Amino acid sequence: ASKEDLTSSSLGSKLEDALDKTRSLLAKVHKMTATQQSNEAVVFLGMDAPELPLEEIVYGLQTSSGNKAHLCPADDGGYGMLSVPRNAPSSQIFHGIRWSNNSTAVSQLKSLSDCCIDISIGKMMNDCDEPDDVIRLAKRLICSRDSNQDDNRQSKDDVLESLSSSIGSAIRDAET
């Protein structure tokens, strides 16, 4: 998907379509008729949220098996994960969302609430939208590495300098 696809107002339509297609596939897998519904939740994972904890995904699936959505907000106002229950109306839950905005998560919560869907809020997440976000991700990953490093591994500063240089080169190449 292009950046325009992810920031345009049509993102809601794309998510609605994905939810409908996923529900249709679940119905086929469970050999249900058109009037039956799967009791399974559907989880949307942000492709820009590489540190999404597995326990949040599991909790979202468990929580949304009833009539409750689960949303993990991102530090920039968006969200990195949304789990929706089977009764969430796909035609309504993604409308009125302010995409790629510092109030995306809040507008998503309002849309769910307007549909009478209870919501649980998960852990705050860091997503990667800008080059500086990738640098911060690298710093977090380096800091979380096992302290028993091999002597052959690059130092933290060398890794960050190399990453910063690579990102800077990629940005310059994209601008020319």
Side-chain angles (χ1 to χ4, degrees), residues 46-163:
M47 64 183 189
D48 61 349
E51 297 173 287
L52 182 63
L54 180 59
E55 60 268 13
E56 284 293 336
I57 299 170
V58 171
Y59 184 79
L61 286 167
Q62 291 170 341
T63 299
S64 295
S65 292
N67 182 31
K68 195 171 197 176
H70 184 69
L71 183 139
C72 291
D75 59 354
D76 63 359
Y79 59 89
M81 185 188 92
L82 174 65
S83 179
V84 296
R86 65 180 169 83
N87 66 329
S90 61
S91 63
Q92 297 172 19
I93 62 171
F94 297 114
H95 290 279
I97 309 302
R98 299 181 71 188
W99 299 111
S100 296
N101 185 291
N102 61 5
S103 62
T104 299
V106 171
S107 61
Q108 182 67 74
L109 292 170
K110 181 183 181 320
S111 181
L112 291 163
S113 179
D114 289 348
C115 294
C116 299
I117 296 171
D118 292 333
I119 307 150
S120 65
I121 307 294
K123 293 179 181 176
M124 179 70 72
M125 303 177 58
N126 300 295
D127 59 7
C128 293
D129 296 323
E130 303 296 331
D132 285 346
D133 296 336
V134 177
I135 300 294
R136 284 190 290 278
L137 170 64
K139 287 179 181 178
R140 288 190 304 274
L141 293 174
I142 289 170
C143 289
S144 69
R145 277 195 313 195
D146 186 9
S147 61
N148 298 326
Q149 295 183 11
D150 294 340
D151 290 334
N152 294 335
R153 287 192 183 172
Q154 286 181 299
S155 75
K156 172 182 167 181
D157 292 337
D158 290 343
V159 171
L160 291 175
E161 184 178 323
S162 175
L163 182 59

